[in-house]
């Protein structure tokens, strides 16, 4: 279900945004999303590392896991604020590196960038860290439904704004409001389901947050390299290409990513099992899970390439 929703939204979003907004505004939207993804690589590592530590400790040491969770919530918010500061420095020092392709002569793409980063600092990042509670409890399906609901609500808010010919900034504000509503509902559900860990932000320790953040830097660095190869390329293209060509580039990249997304969605449910088998020293089960992830990932990717190959001549 979640895979079908993600694929459907990805396909419809490209078509409808290009149709209702036009290539210039669509290009500006994609440039903003690329800038957000580049800045977001800063907190990717800590999200993964804190999440893994929490799942590892929650099995045997729930009190220690609560400290990890609360420390992760504050660390996520602090890094989101750092991203806001870096964005301000980026725009002030080298605004042309984000291109003039916003499709918005008033520069509302800058507003869209800061609206999203503000939402991420206040609610998105800490709520994302709190959502780690679902995984070790075996509630991955509930988390999947929450993420699917978030995608649907955000997509609906975005389409409403775009259909009304609103600016890039207004569309981002509408989408963030939709996401915020789902996040608030999720936090209420987490409070009911996991009363032991509420309030999620209390009990944090700066020393633990800093230590785990330092240990997570290699993951963030790897994420940064990956973002440079994808979204960094789009930002580079925005410096030299007009908005219409950027729209074509972004649409083709989105189509390619949809093929890869299927394998990611299918493999992700195995991640909590990796941590559980590692902690319980179940070596054979861990190896079998890794083999299953490899088989699923390569099969979906190869099938996507095989299906798409006959259509390559029409691109």
């Amino acid at each position: 279900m979640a895979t079908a929703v993600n694929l459907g939204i990805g396909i419809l979003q490209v078509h409808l945004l290009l149709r209702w907004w036009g290539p210039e505004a669509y290009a500006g939207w994609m440039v903003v999303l690329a800038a957000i993804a580049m800045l977001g690589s800063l907190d990717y590592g800590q999200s993964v590392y804190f999440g893994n530590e929490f799942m590892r400790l929650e099995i045997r040491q729930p009190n220690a896991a609560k400290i990890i969770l609360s420390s992760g919530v504050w660390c996520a918010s602090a890094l989101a604020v750092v991203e806001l500061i870096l964005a301000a420095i980026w725009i002030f020092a080298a605004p042309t590196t984000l291109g003039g392709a916003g499709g918005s002569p008033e520069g509302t793409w800058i507003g869209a960038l800061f609206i999203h980063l503000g939402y991420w600092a206040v609610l998105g990042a800490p709520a994302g860290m709190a959502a780690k509670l679902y995984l070790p409890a075996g509630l991955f399906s509930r988390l999947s439904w929450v993420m699917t609901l978030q995608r649907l609500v955000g997509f609906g808010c975005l389409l409403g704004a775009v259909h009304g010919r609103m600016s890039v900034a207004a569309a981002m504000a509408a989408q963030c409001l939709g996401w915020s509503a789902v996040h608030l509902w999720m936090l209420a559900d987490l409070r009911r389901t996991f009363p032991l860990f509420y309030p999620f932000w209390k009990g944090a320790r700066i020393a633990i947050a800093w230590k785990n953040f330092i240990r997570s830097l290699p993951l963030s660095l790897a994420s940064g390299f990956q973002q440079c190869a994808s979204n960094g390329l789009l930002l580079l293209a925005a410096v030299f290409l007009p908005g219409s060509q950027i729209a074509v580039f972004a649409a083709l990249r989105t189509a390619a990513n949809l093929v890869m997304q299927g394998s990611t969605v299918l493999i992700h449910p195995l991640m909590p099992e990796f941590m559980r088998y590692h902690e319980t020293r179940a070596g054979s089960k861990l190896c079998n899970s890794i083999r299953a992830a490899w088989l699923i990932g390569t099969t979906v990717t190869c099938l996507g390439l095989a299906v798409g190959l006959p259509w390559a001549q029409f691109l």
Side-chain angles (χ1 to χ4, degrees):
M1 180 64 181
T3 304
V5 169
N6 287 331
L7 293 176
I9 287 177
I11 295 171
L12 286 176
Q13 182 167 294
V14 174
H15 173 72
L16 294 178
L17 265 61
L18 279 171
R19 179 180 178 183
W20 291 340
W21 242 350
E24 295 292 333
Y26 175 74
W29 177 259
M30 295 306 296
V31 167
V32 170
L33 295 185
I36 291 170
M38 288 288 292
L39 292 167
S41 62
L42 179 64
D43 62 20
Y44 170 81
Q46 68 85 24
S47 176
V48 173
Y49 190 86
F50 274 89
N52 289 344
E53 283 294 292
F54 172 77
M55 287 189 290
R56 183 178 66 84
L57 293 173
E58 197 274 342
I59 298 173
R60 299 179 178 179
Q61 306 175 46
N63 291 331
K66 186 180 188 308
I67 296 175
I68 291 292
L69 180 68
S70 56
S71 300
V73 166
W74 282 104
C75 186
S77 296
L79 287 177
V81 172
V82 172
E83 291 172 17
L84 267 170
I85 297 172
L86 290 177
I89 296 173
W90 186 357
I91 292 172
F92 177 79
T96 57
T97 57
L98 293 180
S104 171
E106 303 81 14
T108 57
W109 58 270
I110 299 178
L113 177 62
F114 282 101
I115 287 171
H116 184 279
L117 293 177
Y119 142 79
W120 187 248
V122 174
L123 186 59
M129 184 60 64
K132 305 291 185 184
L133 282 164
Y134 286 124
L135 297 177
L139 297 175
F140 182 84
S141 59
R142 185 183 301 186
L143 177 60
S144 297
W145 278 110
V146 171
M147 295 173 64
T148 301
L149 178 63
Q150 179 184 347
R151 289 294 305 275
L152 288 172
V153 172
F155 182 59
C157 293
L158 173 63
L159 287 188
V162 175
H163 188 262
R165 299 298 193 274
M166 294 184 179
S167 66
V168 173
M172 181 62 75
Q175 188 173 63
C176 289
L177 285 174
W179 288 340
S180 298
V182 177
H183 277 146
L184 291 174
W185 177 86
M186 182 193 72
L187 290 173
D189 179 63
L190 288 171
R191 180 180 180 179
R192 291 191 301 268
T193 308
F194 305 98
L196 175 65
F197 292 93
Y198 186 83
F200 315 119
W201 57 88
K202 285 190 176 181
R205 296 182 182 177
I206 297 177
I208 292 178
W210 178 255
K211 179 185 68 175
N212 287 340
F213 168 69
I214 295 298
R215 291 178 175 177
S216 71
L217 286 178
L219 295 174
S220 296
L221 185 61
S223 174
F225 282 124
Q226 291 178 348
Q227 293 299 333
C228 286
S230 56
N231 290 297
L233 187 60
L234 178 59
L235 292 176
L236 181 63
V239 178
F240 302 103
L241 299 179
S244 57
Q245 294 184 22
I246 296 172
V248 174
F249 179 87
L252 291 175
R253 191 195 64 166
T254 301
N257 287 340
L258 288 175
V259 176
M260 306 298 296
Q261 191 178 51
S263 62
T264 302
V265 173
L266 292 174
I267 291 173
H268 195 64
L270 294 174
M271 298 306 172
E273 302 304 317
F274 291 167
M275 294 300 304
R276 183 175 295 107
Y277 294 149
H278 172 72
E279 182 64 18
T280 57
R281 300 296 188 269
S284 60
K285 293 182 178 180
L286 177 60
C287 290
N288 290 333
S289 298
I290 294 174
R291 294 189 186 101
W294 176 83
L295 178 62
I296 293 171
T298 54
T299 300
V300 172
T301 302
C302 291
L303 285 176
L305 292 173
V307 172
L309 187 60
W311 303 96
Q313 59 180 323
F314 299 107
L315 296 178

